[in-house]
């Protein structure tokens, strides 16, 4: 981070495979309302979960390179699959701080569990990467039970966040983890907080849910504070820009309106696939 001077006025760059990272973007906005932000959803190539890890790495670096070229002061990899694929490369490749979603979530779950039995749901790519397993291995007293939940991403990308089908899929994925006696469940994909209601209904009140959105926002605040890169509140209104790589933005816009709480009257679609959502 010594290669160039980083301005506190620069925006935070947030990247996800699609709409799921909007949960992280919302949490960052809630904690740091003065910060400018550029959000990129790779809607053209979502979902990342079933893709080979090398392909995910290539896609992620393409978008992260572009965010750095736009002058962001921090990169937030708001995608568990991409975090597992590219984190080490990203921290070596860029001269801005990089925050990912896995580490903060693991630390929170380890501090919350009472009986040492933690469940994890994630995409196929995230589960197969064993990134969570490697971090939880540092806490040998914790037993981790994992399950891939790919249909959750499909449901969220389709705008289905409640109803009988969501509940049925949640029961299918979560029953084996509940049989392990878990008292803490990690939502290991940024799409999953959209389904928090259905998931909580299945696991019940005695199982704590840990999601990456709030924990990642906490880490963003901590790093920016430590590096003295917080944008001064007196700097005026922040600039918020949302971009998508694919031309079909209807689902993205609908979930952005719902999850970020912003009124959208018009959407400008640029030829590159970039969309601007008015505040």
């Amino acid at each position: 981070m010594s290669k160039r001077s980083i301005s506190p006025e620069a925006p935070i760059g947030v990247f996800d495979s699609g709409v799921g990272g909007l949960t992280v973007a919302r949490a960052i906005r809630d904690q740091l309302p003065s910060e400018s932000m550029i959000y990129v959803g790779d809607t053209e190539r979502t979902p990342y979960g079933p893709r080979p890890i090398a392909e995910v790495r290539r896609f992620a670096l393409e978008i992260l390179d572009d965010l750095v070229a736009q002058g962001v002061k921090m990169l937030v990899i708001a995608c568990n699959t991409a975090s597992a694929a590219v984190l080490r490369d990203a921290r070596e490749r860029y001269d801005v701080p990089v925050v990912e979603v896995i580490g903060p979530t693991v630390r929170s779950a380890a501090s919350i569990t009472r009986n040492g039995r933690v469940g994890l749901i994630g995409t196929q790519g995230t589960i197969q990467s064993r990134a969570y397993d490697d971090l939880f291995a540092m806490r040998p007293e914790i037993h981790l039970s994992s399950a891939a939940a790919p249909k959750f991403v499909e449901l969220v990308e389709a705008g289905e966040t409640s109803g009988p089908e969501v509940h049925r899929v949640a029961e299918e994925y979560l029953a084996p983890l509940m049989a392990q006696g878990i008292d803490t469940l990690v939502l290991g994909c940024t799409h999953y907080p959209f389904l928090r209601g259905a998931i909580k209904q299945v696991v019940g009140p005695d199982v704590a849910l840990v999601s990456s959105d709030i924990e990642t926002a906490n880490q963003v605040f901590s790093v920016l504070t430590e590096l003295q890169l917080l944008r001064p509140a007196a700097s005026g209104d922040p600039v918020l820009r949302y971009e998508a790589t694919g031309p079909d933005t209807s689902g993205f816009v609908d979930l952005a309106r719902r999850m970020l709480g912003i009124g959208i009257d018009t959407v400008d679609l640029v030829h590159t696939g970039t969309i601007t959502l008015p505040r």
Side-chain angles (χ1 to χ4, degrees):
M1 281 173 272
S2 60
K3 296 179 183 178
R4 68 174 172 88
S5 176
I6 303 175
S7 170
E9 298 287 345
I12 298 168
V14 182
F15 153 63
D16 184 62
S17 62
V19 300
L22 291 173
T23 56
V24 175
R26 179 186 63 176
I28 293 173
R29 284 187 58 184
D30 287 345
Q31 280 212 36
L32 298 165
S34 297
E35 295 293 338
S36 295
M37 186 187 308
I38 302 173
Y39 177 94
V40 180
D42 194 3
T43 53
E44 181 71 16
R45 300 176 292 198
T46 195
Y48 278 7
R51 294 182 180 275
I53 202 75
E55 189 174 45
V56 172
R57 179 182 179 277
R58 177 166 61 85
F59 292 166
L61 291 177
E62 284 177 4
I63 292 176
L64 295 173
D65 283 351
D66 181 68
L67 282 168
V68 171
Q70 292 187 61
V72 299
K73 66 181 178 182
M74 166 183 277
L75 292 168
V76 179
I77 307 175
C79 172
N80 284 260
T81 306
S83 292
V86 82
L87 177 59
R88 183 173 300 176
D89 292 324
R91 286 182 169 158
E92 294 175 354
R93 186 182 183 97
Y94 304 116
D95 56 2
V96 297
V98 179
V99 171
E100 47 79 37
V101 292
I102 297 177
T105 308
V106 168
R107 288 191 291 272
S108 178
S111 68
I112 288 173
T113 182
R114 304 176 305 279
N115 67 4
R117 293 184 175 272
V118 175
L120 164 69
I121 50 175
T123 67
Q124 199 72 42
T126 297
I127 300 301
Q128 290 179 347
S129 75
R130 298 188 63 83
Y132 277 92
D133 300 73
D134 291 343
L135 290 180
F136 274 113
M138 300 178 187
R139 297 288 298 271
E141 75 278 12
I142 294 177
H143 174 76
L144 180 67
S145 301
S146 304
K151 291 180 185 177
F152 277 169
V153 175
E154 296 173 12
L155 288 167
V156 170
E157 292 287 343
E160 296 182 43
T161 58
S162 62
E165 176 63 10
V166 174
H167 187 83
R168 184 193 67 77
V169 172
E171 286 187 323
E172 173 189 337
Y173 289 144
L174 297 171
L177 299 181
M178 295 300 295
Q180 296 295 316
I182 64 170
D183 73 348
T184 304
L185 177 66
V186 173
L187 308 185
C189 174
T190 49
H191 287 70
Y192 296 173
F194 286 95
L195 306 172
R196 184 186 296 270
I199 292 171
K200 192 63 179 176
Q201 187 176 15
V202 171
V203 300
D206 295 331
V207 175
L209 302 186
V210 180
S211 60
S212 50
D213 50 353
I214 296 173
E215 305 307 327
T216 303
N218 290 341
Q219 183 71 6
V220 167
F221 177 83
S222 177
V223 172
L224 290 180
T225 300
E226 179 183 350
L227 298 178
Q228 299 182 352
L229 288 176
L230 289 171
R231 184 173 184 266
S235 296
D237 290 339
V239 176
L240 304 170
R241 191 159 78 248
Y242 301 88
E243 302 175 359
T245 60
D248 182 6
T249 62
S250 59
F252 184 99
V253 170
D254 178 66
L255 287 173
R257 183 191 300 115
R258 187 189 316 166
M259 298 307 297
L260 295 178
I262 52 178
I264 302 173
D265 298 319
T266 60
V267 177
D268 299 322
L269 179 62
V270 184
H271 72 281
T272 58
T274 301
I275 63 173
T276 301
L277 305 181
R279 295 185 64 204

